[in-house]
mmCIF file of all heavy atoms in Angstrom:
data_model
loop_
_atom_site.group_PDB
_atom_site.id
_atom_site.type_symbol
_atom_site.label_atom_id
_atom_site.label_comp_id
_atom_site.label_asym_id
_atom_site.label_seq_id
_atom_site.Cartn_x
_atom_site.Cartn_y
_atom_site.Cartn_z
ATOM 1 N N PHE A 222 75.073 14.852 16.874
ATOM 2 C CA PHE A 222 74.042 14.031 17.510
ATOM 3 C C PHE A 222 72.706 14.775 17.590
ATOM 4 O O PHE A 222 71.648 14.161 17.460
ATOM 5 C CB PHE A 222 74.505 13.581 18.896
ATOM 6 C CG PHE A 222 75.374 12.370 18.872
ATOM 7 C CD1 PHE A 222 76.750 12.486 18.868
ATOM 8 C CD2 PHE A 222 74.820 11.101 18.829
ATOM 9 C CE1 PHE A 222 77.562 11.362 18.834
ATOM 10 C CE2 PHE A 222 75.618 9.964 18.794
ATOM 11 C CZ PHE A 222 76.991 10.098 18.791
ATOM 12 N N VAL A 223 72.756 16.089 17.802
ATOM 13 C CA VAL A 223 71.521 16.872 17.796
ATOM 14 C C VAL A 223 70.880 16.822 16.406
ATOM 15 O O VAL A 223 69.664 16.645 16.272
ATOM 16 C CB VAL A 223 71.798 18.335 18.208
ATOM 17 C CG1 VAL A 223 70.553 19.195 17.987
ATOM 18 C CG2 VAL A 223 72.230 18.401 19.661
ATOM 19 N N ALA A 224 71.711 16.964 15.357
ATOM 20 C CA ALA A 224 71.202 16.892 13.984
ATOM 21 C C ALA A 224 70.583 15.523 13.715
ATOM 22 O O ALA A 224 69.519 15.425 13.086
ATOM 23 C CB ALA A 224 72.331 17.174 12.998
ATOM 24 N N ALA A 225 71.241 14.456 14.179
ATOM 25 C CA ALA A 225 70.720 13.105 13.981
ATOM 26 C C ALA A 225 69.395 12.917 14.724
ATOM 27 O O ALA A 225 68.453 12.297 14.207
ATOM 28 C CB ALA A 225 71.738 12.078 14.455
ATOM 29 N N PHE A 226 69.311 13.472 15.930
ATOM 30 C CA PHE A 226 68.076 13.352 16.717
ATOM 31 C C PHE A 226 66.927 14.092 16.041
ATOM 32 O O PHE A 226 65.820 13.551 15.889
ATOM 33 C CB PHE A 226 68.309 13.914 18.129
ATOM 34 C CG PHE A 226 67.060 13.944 18.973
ATOM 35 C CD1 PHE A 226 66.579 12.790 19.560
ATOM 36 C CD2 PHE A 226 66.364 15.131 19.163
ATOM 37 C CE1 PHE A 226 65.421 12.805 20.336
ATOM 38 C CE2 PHE A 226 65.218 15.163 19.932
ATOM 39 C CZ PHE A 226 64.742 14.000 20.520
ATOM 40 N N ILE A 227 67.187 15.340 15.623
ATOM 41 C CA ILE A 227 66.149 16.121 14.940
ATOM 42 C C ILE A 227 65.698 15.410 13.668
ATOM 43 O O ILE A 227 64.502 15.332 13.367
ATOM 44 C CB ILE A 227 66.670 17.535 14.611
ATOM 45 C CG1 ILE A 227 66.900 18.325 15.901
ATOM 46 C CG2 ILE A 227 65.695 18.274 13.699
ATOM 47 C CD1 ILE A 227 67.577 19.671 15.686
ATOM 48 N N THR A 228 66.661 14.878 12.921
ATOM 49 C CA THR A 228 66.343 14.176 11.679
ATOM 50 C C THR A 228 65.447 12.970 11.940
ATOM 51 O O THR A 228 64.486 12.708 11.204
ATOM 52 C CB THR A 228 67.640 13.721 10.984
ATOM 53 O OG1 THR A 228 68.443 14.861 10.692
ATOM 54 C CG2 THR A 228 67.336 12.971 9.696
ATOM 55 N N THR A 229 65.754 12.236 12.991
ATOM 56 C CA THR A 229 64.958 11.052 13.340
ATOM 57 C C THR A 229 63.531 11.434 13.704
ATOM 58 O O THR A 229 62.562 10.806 13.256
ATOM 59 C CB THR A 229 65.608 10.304 14.509
ATOM 60 O OG1 THR A 229 66.937 9.915 14.151
ATOM 61 C CG2 THR A 229 64.808 9.061 14.874
ATOM 62 N N VAL A 230 63.393 12.473 14.522
ATOM 63 C CA VAL A 230 62.056 12.928 14.928
ATOM 64 C C VAL A 230 61.255 13.393 13.712
ATOM 65 O O VAL A 230 60.081 13.040 13.546
ATOM 66 C CB VAL A 230 62.173 14.060 15.972
ATOM 67 C CG1 VAL A 230 60.802 14.668 16.257
ATOM 68 C CG2 VAL A 230 62.795 13.536 17.262
ATOM 69 N N VAL A 231 61.897 14.164 12.853
ATOM 70 C CA VAL A 231 61.212 14.690 11.672
ATOM 71 C C VAL A 231 60.845 13.574 10.695
ATOM 72 O O VAL A 231 59.841 13.659 9.990
ATOM 73 C CB VAL A 231 62.083 15.763 10.986
ATOM 74 C CG1 VAL A 231 61.495 16.170 9.646
ATOM 75 C CG2 VAL A 231 62.216 16.983 11.870
ATOM 76 N N SER A 232 61.657 12.512 10.651
ATOM 77 C CA SER A 232 61.335 11.394 9.757
ATOM 78 C C SER A 232 59.977 10.780 10.108
ATOM 79 O O SER A 232 59.222 10.383 9.217
ATOM 80 C CB SER A 232 62.434 10.326 9.807
ATOM 81 O OG SER A 232 62.403 9.587 11.012
ATOM 82 N N ALA A 233 59.671 10.717 11.406
ATOM 83 C CA ALA A 233 58.352 10.213 11.819
ATOM 84 C C ALA A 233 57.253 11.142 11.335
ATOM 85 O O ALA A 233 56.167 10.698 10.951
ATOM 86 C CB ALA A 233 58.308 10.073 13.340
ATOM 87 N N LEU A 234 57.544 12.442 11.319
ATOM 88 C CA LEU A 234 56.569 13.417 10.835
ATOM 89 C C LEU A 234 56.294 13.228 9.351
ATOM 90 O O LEU A 234 55.159 13.375 8.896
ATOM 91 C CB LEU A 234 57.089 14.831 11.105
ATOM 92 C CG LEU A 234 56.194 15.991 10.675
ATOM 93 C CD1 LEU A 234 54.848 15.916 11.367
ATOM 94 C CD2 LEU A 234 56.881 17.320 10.986
ATOM 95 N N GLY A 235 57.340 12.885 8.578
ATOM 96 C CA GLY A 235 57.144 12.627 7.163
ATOM 97 C C GLY A 235 56.168 11.488 6.921
ATOM 98 O O GLY A 235 55.310 11.553 6.032
#
Side-chain angles (χ1 to χ4, degrees):
F222 277 95
V223 171
F226 175 78
I227 293 173
T228 300
T229 301
V230 172
V231 171
S232 73
L234 180 59

